Amino acid sequence: MNKTPLLATAESIQPAKGISPIYIIGALFFVFGFVTWLNSVLILYLKIACQLNNFESYLVVFAFYIAYLVMGVPASRVLAKTGFKNGMAVGLLIMAVGALIFIPAALTRMYPLFLTGLFVLGTGLTILQTASNPYITILGPIESAAKRISIMGIFNKIAGAIAPIILGALILTDADGIKARLLTMTTAQKEIELNMLSHRVILPYVVILIVLVLLAVSVYYSSLPEVDAKEDEDTVTPAESQQTSIFQFPHLLVGVLALFVYVGVEVMAGDSVISYASSQGIPLTVAKYFTTCTLFCMIAGYIVGIICIPKYFTQEKALKVSAFIGIVCSFGAIFTSGYASVLFVSLLGIANALMWPALWPLAINGLGKFTKIGSSLLIMGIAGGAVIPLLYGFIVDRLVTAGHIKSIAATEGYWILVPCYLVIAYYAIAGHKLKPKNS
C-alpha cells in the first residue's frame, strides 16, 4: 500500500503554530491558478510566434496536463519520502525549473523546448495538487468539503483571472498588427519579427521563477503541520471490509472518468476562448479578456457553493444543476456566432465552478484505507485537460481541411463538450451511488 504521508483523518491534523494551514493552502491554490491559466494566452502567443496550426497550438495544454497522468503515481512516492511540507517545497522548485526552461526556449524559438517547460511546470503542480486537494478535503466534515474546496477555488480563479490579463499585456501587445505584417514580410523579416515576439515571454517567466523559489523557501520554513496517515492506513471500516482492491469501488472509477472530462471542459472554456474569439473576428485586444470573464463566472459559482452547500442544497444537487447548465451553454455556443457564441463559452465558467468541489468528495467518500490510491487516480484524471482540448484542435483542423470556414469550424468543434457534460450528469444522478463490489 502506498504510504503517502498526507491523507489522514481530520483529527490527526495538529494545529499549526503561526499561520493557519488553510491560509497556506490558499496561497498555494493562488499559485496553481496563476500558472495554470497562463496557458490561455500561451496558446495564441505560441501559435503566432512558432507559426502553428490549431492542433499544434493545443499541445500547450497537452504538455501541461499530461504531466498529471504520467507523474501522478511518482508524485505520491515523492511525498511518501519527503513528507507533506518538504514535498510541497520540492513541487514549487520543480515548477521553478519549468519556468527557467522558458528562457532558452524563447531565445531559440524552439516549440518542443516550450512544451518541455510546460511539462515540468505540470509535474511540479502534480506534486502540489496531490498533497493539497486531499488535505483541504479532510480539514472538516465530508458533507461540507465542497464548501472548503470552493473557498480554495476562489483563490485559484482570482489568480487565474489576473494571469492572462498580465501576460496578455506583456506578450500580446499589437498582436493583431504583427499578424497582419507577417503576411507581407520576406522570410528574413519574418524571422526577425517572430524572434522579437518570442523574447517577450522571458521577463514574465523570470519573475515567475523568482516567485516560485521564494515560495518554496517560505513553505519549507512555514508552520504547516506534517500529516501522519499511518494510523489511518491500518484502519478498516465496516463499509470496506470486503474490498481488497481499489477497482472494487465503481463510484470512484466512474468518478475518475467524470473528473477527466470535467477538467477537459474546464480547460476548454478557459484556454480555448481567446483563440476562439479571435477566430470569430474579435480583435486580440478584446479577445484576451475572455478567459478572465470565464474565471469570474467560476468565482461567482464558487460563491454560490460557499453560501449554499450544504445548507440549501447538496453536493449531488449542485453537480446535477452544473451539468445541465453546461449542456445548455454548449448548445448556446454551437448555435450562435460572434460575441454571443464566445459569451456562451465564457458562461461555461458558471457550469464548471462547482464540479470539482462536488466530484472530489463524492468520489473519495467511503474509500477508507484506499483513499490514498483513490486520490492519486483522481489527480491522474486531470489529464483530461490534455486530451479534450487537443481533440478540439484536431477536429477544427480537420473541418478546415474539409473546406469549412475557419470561424464555423471553430464553432463546430465545441460539439465535443456535449458528451462530456452528459458523463458528468450521469455521475451526478447515478454514478456516485454505485455500490462497492465484494471480493
Side-chain angles (χ1 to χ4, degrees), residues 86-374:
N86 293 346
M88 298 188 81
V90 168
L92 287 164
L93 289 175
I94 291 173
M95 290 176 65
V97 173
L100 178 64
I101 293 172
F102 266 66
I103 298 173
L107 291 173
T108 58
R109 201 159 56 85
M110 291 179 60
Y111 190 48
L113 204 50
F114 279 113
L115 297 180
T116 301
L118 287 162
F119 179 82
V120 175
L121 279 165
T123 296
L125 271 174
T126 302
I127 295 174
L128 291 173
Q129 295 236 39
T130 302
S132 61
N133 283 291
Y135 191 81
I136 202 66
T137 298
I138 64 171
L139 279 177
I142 191 72
E143 294 80 11
S144 60
K147 178 181 290 189
R148 293 190 299 280
I149 299 175
S150 293
I151 294 172
M152 295 301 102
I154 289 177
F155 284 102
N156 183 279
K157 296 309 181 290
I158 287 176
I162 295 170
I165 293 177
I166 295 174
L167 189 64
L170 292 172
I171 68 176
L172 288 181
T173 302
D174 192 34
D176 292 303
I178 292 173
K179 288 174 66 178
R181 290 195 297 274
L182 288 173
L183 297 175
T184 60
M185 287 181 174
T186 65
T187 302
Q189 291 173 328
K190 184 180 292 187
E191 283 295 308
I192 294 172
E193 185 76 30
L194 292 176
N195 286 335
M196 290 175 61
L197 178 62
S198 180
H199 293 171
R200 290 183 184 181
V201 83
I202 294 175
L203 178 60
Y205 275 84
V206 168
V207 174
I208 291 171
L209 165 64
I210 294 170
V211 170
L212 289 170
V213 171
L214 291 176
L215 279 172
V217 174
S218 299
V219 168
Y220 182 79
Y221 289 105
S222 74
S223 58
L224 194 68
E226 199 60 73
V227 180
D228 183 8
K230 188 178 186 303
E231 179 180 344
D232 186 61
E233 288 177 355
D234 299 331
T235 302
V236 180
T237 64
E240 51 158 337
S241 60
Q242 301 299 314
Q243 281 69 54
T244 58
S245 168
I246 192 65
F247 297 105
Q248 292 174 289
F249 293 90
H251 80 282
L252 169 71
L253 301 180
V254 180
V256 171
L257 175 61
L259 191 137
F260 179 91
V261 296
Y262 150 67
V263 176
V265 296
E266 180 183 271
V267 172
M268 282 287 297
D271 282 355
S272 73
V273 69
I274 295 177
S275 293
Y276 179 60
S278 178
S279 76
Q280 298 298 299
I282 298 172
L284 291 175
T285 52
V286 177
K288 66 183 180 181
Y289 293 107
F290 279 106
T291 292
T292 299
C293 179
T294 303
L295 296 177
F296 274 127
C297 286
M298 292 195 76
I299 291 170
Y302 281 130
I303 292 172
V304 171
I306 292 169
I307 295 172
C308 298
I309 298 174
K311 186 175 182 180
Y312 296 108
F313 52 78
T314 64
Q315 294 166 160
E316 297 95 319
K317 183 69 172 179
L319 195 57
K320 291 176 188 176
V321 173
S322 296
F324 175 76
I325 294 173
I327 292 169
V328 170
C329 289
S330 297
F331 283 128
I334 293 166
F335 291 111
T336 59
S337 60
Y339 277 95
S341 183
V342 175
L343 181 60
F344 273 115
V345 176
S346 287
L347 286 174
L348 287 171
I350 294 176
N352 297 335
L354 295 182
M355 288 185 176
W356 180 283
L359 274 168
W360 185 278
L362 288 175
I364 67 171
N365 189 32
L367 296 184
K369 67 179 181 180
F370 296 102
T371 301
K372 288 174 286 300
I373 186 63

Side-chain angles (χ1 to χ4, degrees), residues 64-84:
F64 186 85
Y65 285 100
I66 201 63
Y68 287 96
L69 177 62
V70 176
M71 304 304 295
V73 173
S76 295
R77 291 174 179 169
V78 168
L79 290 167
K81 292 181 179 297
T82 63
F84 179 77

